[in-house]
Amino acid sequence: MGNSQKQPNMAVVVGVDRRASSQRAIDEGVRLAQRTGRPVHLVYATGVGIVPWSKEYLAGKDDFMTTCRDRAAATAPDTPVTYAVHVAEPAATLVHASETASLVVMGSAGLGRATDVLRGSATAKVMAHAHCAVMVVPHSGEWDTDGPIVVGLDIEEHSRPALEWAFSQASLQKAPLVALHTWWWEEPDPFYSSGALGEEWLQVEQSQELELAEMLAGWQEKYPDVQVTPTVIRGQAAFALEELSTTARLVVLGTRGRGGFAGLLLGSVSNHTAHHAHCPVVVVPSTKR
């Protein structure tokens, strides 16, 4: 279609539209591609209407993508940049692209208006079903590019791909790594002895710290150059990650590796963090899809 080009293998794929966050997504995608030596592929999906799109309409989108391609190429002359325009549903297009991509990058909807709720649902679909890691870039604001990488962990098997992604990026970017695990225990009775309950909470926290240390041990041996700060917090994971994102350069999360309708329901932490974090968020699939 027009000057659309084939997606290179293992490219950093960036979903493009006319929101301001889309240009921010292109910038982040190009920066990451430069660090990893990957090509960049920009993707625009029109959505599917009842009436087929006109040639003039598609030509306008092609011109827009040519401008985006040229701007990205100018900022990274040594990085190959291609683009494609598809008459297709955006989320499905990016999930399909993720089959041969190294990373998919999207701009956050921000959820500030009613129309953004629909865009936010597209982001959730891509995060739930993509075959590779997905980066969501904030729609506004700046973040500390010298801050740490924060990885949220469940101390379970499905967190390991996220942990590996976070360690490799921390090593590549020479960034400190904060490994965060949260736990939550509701008080069984508001009149329960605070002293006894505090003692039990301390025991739980110590056991969580031990499990986290065991999980990190092998990765610290593999990446001895990465400075790691294990962090255990009693609280809700989504809010803890949102708070840490104010001083982070990147937040990394895993998924439970479930597709279909269940995959959409199980992403509450990922969805909240992706739309409310102050820095880019990367969601890494736990299993091969």
Side-chain angles (χ1 to χ4, degrees), residues 35-232:
R35 292 192 192 106
T36 56
R38 305 288 190 186
V40 174
H41 187 64
L42 310 179
V43 173
Y44 187 101
T46 63
V48 180
I50 297 176
V51 180
W53 299 113
S54 67
K55 290 183 179 180
E56 292 75 16
Y57 176 87
L58 294 176
K61 298 304 179 188
D62 200 89
D63 289 343
F64 170 67
M65 290 299 287
T66 299
T67 301
C68 291
R69 190 269 318 274
D70 292 347
R71 182 182 180 279
T75 62
D78 296 329
T79 300
V81 182
T82 55
Y83 78 86
V85 177
H86 299 276
V87 178
E89 197 273 324
T93 300
L94 290 174
V95 170
H96 177 69
S98 73
E99 294 178 5
T100 59
S102 60
L103 178 73
V104 170
V105 185
M106 306 176 68
S108 169
L111 304 183
R113 298 175 298 175
T115 54
D116 286 338
V117 174
L118 297 177
R119 292 168 178 160
S121 69
T123 305
K125 290 177 184 177
V126 177
M127 290 191 299
H129 299 288
H131 299 263
C132 67
V134 176
M135 173 185 282
V136 181
V137 180
H139 69 291
S140 63
E142 301 297 331
W143 55 88
D144 186 356
T145 55
D146 294 322
I149 292 175
V150 176
V151 56
L153 302 171
D154 274 354
I155 318 185
E156 294 181 22
E157 285 298 318
H158 63 252
S159 289
R160 293 188 181 278
L163 189 56
E164 180 175 15
W165 202 97
F167 261 102
S168 65
Q169 280 299 310
S171 178
L172 188 65
Q173 299 186 33
K174 296 179 172 52
L177 181 65
V178 174
L180 172 71
H181 171 64
T182 65
W183 62 279
W184 184 251
W185 182 13
E186 292 283 358
E187 295 186 26
D189 188 324
F191 299 103
Y192 194 76
S193 168
S194 59
L197 190 57
E199 184 177 336
E200 291 189 31
W201 280 352
L202 180 60
Q203 292 176 357
V204 171
E205 184 165 357
Q206 289 175 340
S207 69
Q208 298 296 314
E209 289 174 348
L210 179 59
E211 288 189 58
L212 180 59
E214 291 175 348
M215 185 176 190
L216 294 173
W219 294 106
Q220 288 181 291
E221 292 176 4
K222 185 176 181 179
Y223 294 95
D225 58 317
V226 177
Q227 176 188 344
V228 186
T229 303
T231 305
V232 175

